[in-house]
Amino acid sequence: MSLDPYKLRLDFPILSETMPNGKPLVYLDNGATSQKPLSVIQATNDYYAKENANIHRGVYYLSQHATELFERTRIKTSHFFQAQCAKAIIFTRGTTDAINLVAQTYGRVNVCEGDEIVLSVQEHHSNLVPWQMLAQEKKAFLKFIPILEDTTYDLSKLNEIITKRTKIVAISQMSNVTGTVHDLTKIIDRARQVGAKVLVDGAQAACHMPIHLVDLDVDFYAFSAHKMLGPTGVGVLFGKEEILEAMPPWLGGGDMIETVDLESSTYAALPAKLEAGTPNIAGVIGFSHALDYLQNVGMQAIKDHERMLTEYALEKMVRIGGLSIYGTEDLDKRGGVISFTLDGIHPHDVGSILDEEGVAIRVGHHCCQPLMKHFQIPGTCRASFYFYNTKEDVDVLLHSIEKVKSIFGRVVRK
């Protein structure tokens, strides 16, 4: 079933805003963070205005009510992503925090000198730097799955990359630069053959398509609430229950303990063991309403709408002279992200001129410096769509790109 972006936009106050230069906002930086509907904004405000109390500790009504709302989000998240169980959902500060948690707990215990950690050349820094730090500490080796010219994974030498020495494979499901959506089946199967664990960076995929964690059958899956209508400062780590049970805590302190003596402590059961300290309660409650909103819209409908926008944009962008697009041409393997460059024009200049037209895109290396080096460019311009974007948004983007070329004295069309 198709969605109506014009109707849905009414739920997002910021999408009606006018920029200081008088131009209406055309928000195309959803890869960085999504906008928030009124229901999420109101829920977050209501917590502070009417329900503010710490969770898991108080016997009074406000504390118990806040705890119920918080834990209800955990159950809802488990159902939304078809996870193993609610205890397998760990709330973090974001995808970066979730990946670091795995590196510093499972990784520290299970990776030894001479072992291997497998990544890809197109990973976000959040799924690269934590493993670099672990490898340096443990004297382990990093190995990388290369990409083909169309930016899909090159699996031709997968058996040589993932070996019996591989302990962890940490891989993204959708590139935040190119929008390429990867079929992870062969990578997961090969990891299973050698007994390696698989962590999937789902920061981009989780917000744009249906994700069934039981079917995906990975050991860890990490994503952020703020990219899927929720507040910032909230992330989710899914892990298989038996693996999470065996992992030591990462942070020590309140709520993750069972008993504490002066010399030693015992730790709480899941999920509390991995959630030390007072969490972002308002953010988690707001995320519950974001999940409700996405459920009502439908993740398949979101995926289909973004495909339509991407196809519409690509058909027009390929006719712009001097414009290079990065990523696969196969729309079945592409999400709603388009990275491009204009010959002889720095991405920062493009972004600044587009801003004058009210168009918000992301420019730079997108926290993927190794991928930029692979492309032999300093950075790209990235337009990223969500379900509230329209063809008119794309048209404004295209018109603004033509303005950039006009300003720099180049021919607008071939």
Side-chain angles (χ1 to χ4, degrees), residues 165-397:
R165 304 221 63 158
T166 303
K167 288 294 188 292
I168 297 172
V169 178
I171 204 85
S172 60
Q173 190 173 11
M174 174 178 166
S175 170
N176 71 302
V177 175
T178 64
T180 303
V181 178
H182 302 283
D183 183 354
L184 303 179
T185 304
K186 291 183 179 179
I187 296 174
I188 295 170
D189 289 347
R190 177 57 183 167
R192 294 282 173 261
Q193 291 173 10
V194 301
K197 303 303 181 193
V198 179
L199 178 146
V200 171
D201 176 355
Q204 293 296 324
C207 41
H208 298 296
M209 63 191 70
I211 302 294
H212 302 156
L213 289 173
V214 171
D215 295 338
L216 192 59
D217 191 33
V218 294
D219 302 291
F220 304 100
Y221 193 92
F223 59 93
S224 297
H226 73 93
K227 295 182 190 291
M228 48 192 309
L229 309 186
T232 58
V234 176
V236 172
L237 171 68
F238 160 80
K240 289 187 174 179
E241 185 179 359
E242 61 274 17
I243 300 176
L244 295 176
E245 290 280 11
M247 285 164 43
W250 180 27
L251 301 175
D255 240 23
M256 51 74 67
I257 56 89
E258 181 179 46
T259 63
V260 176
D261 295 316
L262 290 178
E263 301 294 334
S264 63
S265 300
T266 59
Y267 306 124
L270 291 174
K273 180 180 74 171
L274 298 174
E275 292 182 354
T278 300
N280 183 352
I281 303 170
V284 170
I285 292 172
F287 183 46
S288 174
H289 290 260
L291 292 174
D292 288 340
Y293 195 100
L294 292 172
Q295 188 75 48
N296 289 334
V297 175
M299 295 306 296
Q300 186 61 48
I302 291 172
K303 180 180 178 181
D304 293 343
H305 180 74
E306 292 177 5
R307 178 186 172 123
M308 178 275 294
L309 286 179
T310 303
E311 183 175 18
Y312 178 77
L314 288 173
E315 286 178 351
K316 294 178 178 295
M317 292 177 78
V318 295
R319 299 202 299 265
I320 299 177
L323 188 147
S324 299
I325 298 172
Y326 298 83
T328 179
E329 295 180 359
D330 186 347
L331 288 171
D332 290 334
K333 298 178 181 179
R334 187 177 196 128
V337 174
I338 300 176
S339 272
F340 64 93
T341 55
L342 289 169
D343 290 350
I345 308 175
H346 196 282
H348 289 177
D349 293 326
V350 177
S352 296
I353 296 172
L354 263 58
D355 180 53
E356 294 175 1
E357 299 300 306
V359 180
I361 65 166
R362 182 57 59 100
V363 298
H365 55 66
H366 314 297
C367 296
C368 287
Q369 289 186 8
L371 184 59
M372 295 300 117
K373 292 175 182 177
H374 172 84
F375 290 145
Q376 298 182 334
I377 55 176
T380 71
C381 309
R382 185 188 71 186
S384 47
F385 308 125
Y386 213 8
F387 60 85
Y388 42 63
N389 288 123
T390 65
K391 285 185 175 180
E392 285 78 5
D393 290 338
V394 175
D395 290 339
V396 175
L397 169 67

Side-chain angles (χ1 to χ4, degrees), residues 140-179:
F141 297 99
L142 298 178
K143 298 174 74 175
F144 298 92
I145 299 173
I147 57 174
L148 298 168
E149 187 175 350
D150 69 352
T151 69
T152 59
Y153 290 139
D154 180 357
L155 304 181
S156 60
K157 298 182 179 179
L158 188 62
N159 289 358
E160 299 173 24
I161 297 171
I162 301 178
T163 71
K164 291 183 179 180
R165 304 221 63 158
T166 303
K167 288 294 188 292
I168 297 172
V169 178
I171 204 85
S172 60
Q173 190 173 11
M174 174 178 166
S175 170
N176 71 302
V177 175
T178 64

